Amino acid sequence: MSYTQNFLGAAYPIHSLTEKLTEKKPPTGVDLYSRFALAGALCCSITHGAMTPIDVVKTRIQLDPAKYSGGVIGTFRQIISQEGAGALLTGAGPTFAGYFLQGGFKFGGYELFKKLIVENLGMETAQQNRMSVYLAASALAEFFADIALCPLEATRIRLVSQPEFASGLIGGFGRIFREEGFGAFYAGFGPILFKQVPYNMAKFSTMEIVLESALRFAGKTKHDLSPNEATVYNLGSGLMAGFAAAIISQPADTLLSKINKNKALPGETTAGRLIKYSRELGMVGLFTGLTTRLIMVGTITALQFGIYGEIKNALGATNSTEISKAK
């Protein structure tokens, strides 16, 4: 067994001293990383599913800013008055299913790739270059997560942008497959990578660095914290991570919504569509809906790291690879 497998203490979220004193022999190998994946799947599906109404509003504003020009509150009211409150749950099915799969690959993959990178570099080198480790591990994890997410995200956006398209996940998924073929599910794969990879890199690296900086500023180590203090640190660091990730990935999020709203014209490539929409929208247009997305992503990310820590602890998966200097 390697030294990293024997090393206890997660880089994030924090686990308290009480948890350390009462822990049993930790799981390893496939058992350990399946627990990380399950914790990630649950935290992502729960948080993204709960934020479906805000995501509906954000997507409508991005796709038709002329129609939905009343801001976040005004768009909420407009959708409810014209379509009923149920319209705010449009796309909930693909959102829950898609982010369950993506969350498993995202969080489980991050833990796995971080471990592999640290073992190849060595602990001392990894600690000295920990930002590079965080960025590389999160980018690799997100690539595989997006392969799982893309078909369900395409279905979600089609349902939100065209409410009459189908009545739910199965109907929407089936209609896209029948009418446009399997390739239509991955028409937005390039844009989703362009959006999600920088998003995930910013999310995990910011979380790690903010958490480390906050602990060092407070003059504490992770093991000094009570369970309640650990939760506060996780939520606060997660909120900052969410803000950074939302700003960095906003242009790609807007382009992804545009790509998935309508079919491509004959002979039109994904790259050509991205260039066309970028020119049409301009810099200001690419950041349409940023306020809504800051609220949504900031809240989601904070809750994800908070929930992830709790589920990891409940599953006994507290022995991920640690390279933070705030131990």
Side-chain angles (χ1 to χ4, degrees):
M1 185 176 292
S2 68
Y3 63 88
T4 52
Q5 289 174 312
N6 285 310
F7 193 92
L8 300 182
Y12 73 91
I14 309 163
H15 302 282
S16 70
L17 176 60
T18 301
E19 294 161 357
K20 286 294 174 186
L21 292 175
T22 59
E23 67 186 358
K24 300 177 182 179
K25 184 178 179 180
T28 59
V30 174
D31 183 21
L32 174 63
Y33 289 93
S34 64
R35 297 184 193 207
F36 288 148
L38 178 59
L42 290 172
C43 79
C44 285
S45 60
I46 290 169
T47 52
H48 279 279
M51 298 297 284
T52 295
I54 294 178
D55 203 26
V56 169
V57 170
K58 182 266 298 181
T59 302
R60 294 285 183 91
I61 292 173
Q62 286 178 325
L63 295 177
D64 197 347
K67 180 178 179 180
Y68 300 102
S69 58
V72 177
I73 303 301
T75 301
F76 263 110
R77 292 173 176 170
Q78 185 175 348
I79 292 172
I80 292 172
S81 65
Q82 294 177 354
E83 304 172 42
L88 294 173
L89 295 177
T90 303
T95 295
F96 186 90
Y99 284 97
F100 185 89
L101 292 174
Q102 191 218 32
F105 283 101
K106 181 197 295 279
F107 282 84
Y110 177 71
E111 300 280 13
L112 176 61
F113 286 120
K114 185 169 66 170
K115 172 183 180 294
L116 294 175
I117 292 170
V118 170
E119 287 189 335
N120 278 277
L121 292 177
M123 182 60 72
E124 183 177 352
T125 302
Q127 284 187 324
Q128 292 172 351
N129 299 277
R130 56 194 181 282
M131 176 60 84
S132 297
V133 174
Y134 300 148
L135 293 173
S138 56
L140 287 168
E142 188 60 42
F143 176 81
F144 292 101
D146 289 345
I147 294 175
L149 173 66
C150 200
L152 292 155
E153 181 69 357
T155 304
R156 182 195 70 80
I157 291 177
R158 189 67 64 87
L159 292 174
V160 172
S161 62
Q162 300 175 24
E164 72 287 350
F165 184 76
S167 59
L169 168 59
I170 296 175
F173 194 95
R175 182 175 175 183
I176 292 174
F177 181 75
R178 288 193 307 272
E179 297 181 1
E180 302 172 45
F182 185 77
F185 291 118
Y186 285 93
F189 187 59
I192 208 171
L193 285 178
F194 181 55
K195 165 195 168 184
Q196 289 293 135
V197 171
Y199 167 89
N200 207 44
M201 293 169 72
K203 172 180 175 176
F204 279 96
S205 61
T206 302
M207 171 66 184
E208 296 271 22
I209 295 303
V210 169
L211 181 56
E212 178 180 330
S213 299
L215 288 171
R216 295 176 74 174
F217 179 80
K220 295 185 176 183
T221 67
K222 296 176 181 180
H223 307 308
D224 294 332
L225 302 178
S226 68
N228 288 338
E229 288 176 325
T231 299
V232 170
Y233 273 85
N234 287 332
L235 291 173
S237 300
L239 184 64
M240 294 299 102
F243 288 158
I247 294 169
I248 288 172
S249 63
Q250 177 63 22
D253 184 67
T254 301
L255 290 173
L256 178 64
S257 294
K258 288 287 187 182
I259 286 285
N260 282 318
K261 180 182 180 182
N262 300 305
K263 300 178 184 179
L265 298 175
E268 193 174 33
T269 65
T270 298
R273 296 171 74 193
L274 286 173
I275 294 171
K276 179 181 73 173
Y277 289 137
S278 296
R279 288 174 176 170
E280 290 176 357
L281 292 167
M283 184 58 68
V284 174
L286 287 172
F287 282 89
T288 299
L290 178 59
T291 301
T292 311
R293 194 155 181 267
L294 281 171
I295 296 170
M296 184 181 77
V297 174
T299 302
I300 283 176
T301 306
L303 291 175
Q304 278 179 359
F305 282 113
I307 295 170
Y308 183 61
E310 294 297 325
I311 296 176
K312 280 177 64 178
N313 181 59
L315 295 175
T318 60
N319 55 318
S320 59
T321 302
E322 165 69 270
I323 57 175
S324 168
K325 291 189 175 181
K327 299 176 184 178

